[in-house]
Every structure is written in C-alpha cells, then in structure tokens.
Amino acid sequence: MRHFKLAPFTLAAVMAGMLFSTTAFAVTKLNYSIFFPAPHKNSVLADQWGKEIEKRTKGEVQVTMFYGGTLTPAPAVYDGVVKGISDVGMSVLSYTMGKFPLSEVLDLPLGARTAVAATSLVNDYYNKFKPKEMDEVQIMYLHAHGPGMIHNKTRAVATLEDLKGMKIRATGTTGKIASALGATAVGMPMPETYDSISRGVAEGVACPAEALQGWKLGEVVKYTTQNFGTAYNLSFFVAMNKSKWNALAPDVRKIIEQVNEEWIVKTGQAWDDIDKAGYDFYQKQGGTITTLSKAEDARWVKAVQPVFDEYVKEKTAKGLPAQEALKFCQDRLQQLQK
C-alpha cells in the first residue's frame, strides 16, 4: 500500500474547510415575531437585541425579524412561540386574558410613575415567583410601558365627578379600572381608537403618553389627566421556544442571558423616552395636561380598591398566592420609587 503525505498548505486548506463546514453547520437561526411596526422604538431595540447576540456569539446565533404581526398577530404571539411558529416573540401578557392569572397583578393600577420602575418591577416579580403559567416558554425578559393615563377630547378632568359617565376606550383590567373610576369602558383594539374618538364612539382613551404620538391620538384628544396614583402599566414578554432554547450550547445561553439583562434597562428607558416624545407631540397639537391634586389622587386610589380586592379573591380561589404577589408588587414599587 502506498502512503501519501499532504503538503502543509494542502493540510491547512483541508482543516480550514472542515472548520468552515462545522461553523456553518452550528449556526442557529431564530425567527422573531413582533407586532410593532418596524420603525417603532421597540422594534428597533428588538432588532438590536438580535444583532448584539449575533455579534457576541460570533455569528453562531442569527435573528430574523418579522414586524407588524406578519408572522403571528399580537394575541397569538405567545402560543406561536410555544408551537414553534416563531422561535422568539414579543407581545403583551394581557392580550390573552386568563392565560397568565397570577401575573394579572401587573395590570392593576399600582401607580408606577415611570417605565423604568415598572420594567424593574415586572422582572423582579418574575424572578421572585417564577410563575408556572409561563413555563411553556423560556422568558428572555419582561418590560412595561410608562404610566397609563386618561386622555379625552371632551373636557378637562380634575375630579372623579368630571370623569363620571365619560366613554373611555379601555379593555381587560384597564376597563375595570375605568369603570371603578366612574367612566364607561368601551372595548376596542388600539388601531380603531383614533377613528372611534374622531366619530364620538369613544370620548377618550386610557393609555401611556407614547400613544399620543405613536398612534397619533394627540391629534384627536385635547385633555390629559395625570392620575399617577391609579396609573397602570401593561407588561410585555420576550420569550423563546423552549426546545430552541434547550438546544443552544450552555455558553450561548449565558451570552443571551447577559444581553437580556442589559435590554431590561435599555427597554425601560426607551419607553420613558417615547413617553416624553408623545407629550411633546401632544402639546404641539394644543393639548392640555391636568395633574390631580394629592387629595383627589387619594380619592381615585380609594375608588379602584375593589379592582384589587377582586383580583385577590378570584386568584386565591384558584389556589394562587395572589395576596403575596400583590403585596410584593406594592412594596417593591414603593422601594423603586423612593
């Protein structure tokens, strides 16, 4: 049998080819479903999250974005991640009411004054309770928008009496809050809100200031009430398919976890930034802002107490630690806002 000796340059070429082949084979491609349009700050940040992971894993993980609900619409994002329709998804917990019963505590009017505080709270809550209702996926991180306020086109609202009977677009727990404050809650998707207020189907909306610009609501509402004591903050999840996550190498998972921690901070701050931009846009349209007095704010807080009581009663009956979850959120938020 004859033996052949490879020239050094030939051997190097073969090894390089093998290395390239192995690297190419190891690439993990992730599809990311998000309902925000591509230009929205949350979409920009989500794209940057993927690019940062690709950079730190040296191309081993690559993320492809699907904006505007093109892969899965907002209410179906979570189940889409579970089923593998998308590998990663971002949406709102309360878009699938009843699916996350313990975590509905996060929708209550806890009074978070900033998105930074609300985003810190929702992640602290998750780390404390690790709710089983989210076990079908691997949570990357959670975040929350800025304080949800009352905006309307009819009149300035400085008291509960001013708000009584006003038709306010509010859904889910937010609808319960509006009703407890004496308004008439009108349920509808956010994309229909602008036209509904224009046509008088609704007189106003409960939402963060971001929507005044992001959804152009600042063009149709004229009066904003800063009801900080009863402000609500919807919570968003960024989740990965469990099988996809488990298939990643431990060192890659560690890198993604590090990026997740950084994006908690970035996303909370981004929500506050776009709230400010929303107010700027609104005031350029001639909108006015009324901040409740301390005494009136206390009246609003008392008025929504039944919403808290209902949460505790309903979830406790299901065997969930509702009272503990509520107390944790209230105490932790107080610490965060000192």
Side-chain angles (χ1 to χ4, degrees), residues 215-227:
W215 294 96
K216 302 299 182 185
L217 297 180
E219 295 176 353
V220 291
V221 298
K222 301 301 177 187
Y223 305 96
T224 287
T225 300
Q226 292 185 322
N227 50 307

Side-chain angles (χ1 to χ4, degrees), residues 103-155:
S103 302
E104 286 175 22
V105 67
L106 302 167
D107 295 336
L108 296 173
L110 297 168
R113 299 178 69 91
T114 66
V116 166
T119 294
S120 294
L121 172 64
V122 66
N123 285 282
D124 290 345
Y125 156 84
Y126 179 79
N127 291 331
K128 166 74 175 176
F129 291 94
K130 288 291 193 290
K132 292 182 179 179
E133 58 206 35
M134 299 185 200
D135 277 354
E136 294 174 295
V137 300
Q138 183 69 32
I139 294 295
M140 298 288 95
Y141 61 97
L142 304 170
H143 58 97
H145 68 49
M149 305 295 189
I150 302 291
H151 314 271
N152 81 91
K153 71 171 185 178
T154 308
R155 57 183 176 271

Side-chain angles (χ1 to χ4, degrees), residues 71-107:
L71 191 56
T72 45
V77 169
Y78 184 86
D79 285 340
V81 172
V82 173
K83 296 173 183 176
I85 297 171
S86 65
D87 302 307
V88 183
M90 179 196 293
S91 192
V92 182
L93 289 174
S94 61
Y95 279 5
T96 46
M97 286 296 288
K99 194 171 185 67
F100 309 104
L102 183 64
S103 302
E104 286 175 22
V105 67
L106 302 167
D107 295 336

Side-chain angles (χ1 to χ4, degrees), residues 9-85:
F9 74 88
T10 307
L11 181 61
V14 170
M15 292 181 66
M18 291 175 63
L19 179 62
F20 175 80
S21 175
T22 302
T23 302
F25 180 76
V27 169
T28 298
K29 296 191 175 185
L30 303 175
N31 291 333
Y32 190 141
S33 176
I34 186 169
F35 70 90
F36 288 104
H40 194 282
K41 184 66 173 178
N42 275 314
S43 290
V44 173
L45 275 174
D47 181 54
Q48 290 174 350
W49 175 85
K51 283 183 167 57
E52 188 65 21
I53 290 170
E54 181 175 350
K55 175 184 173 184
R56 296 192 197 181
T57 61
K58 296 179 170 56
E60 188 171 339
V61 176
Q62 298 174 7
V63 180
T64 301
M65 301 299 303
F66 289 83
Y67 303 108
T70 53
L71 191 56
T72 45
V77 169
Y78 184 86
D79 285 340
V81 172
V82 173
K83 296 173 183 176
I85 297 171

Side-chain angles (χ1 to χ4, degrees), residues 239-253:
M240 185 181 294
N241 176 272
K242 200 92 168 185
S243 296
K244 206 77 172 186
W245 173 257
N246 290 334
L248 295 172
D251 61 323
V252 172
R253 293 201 296 265

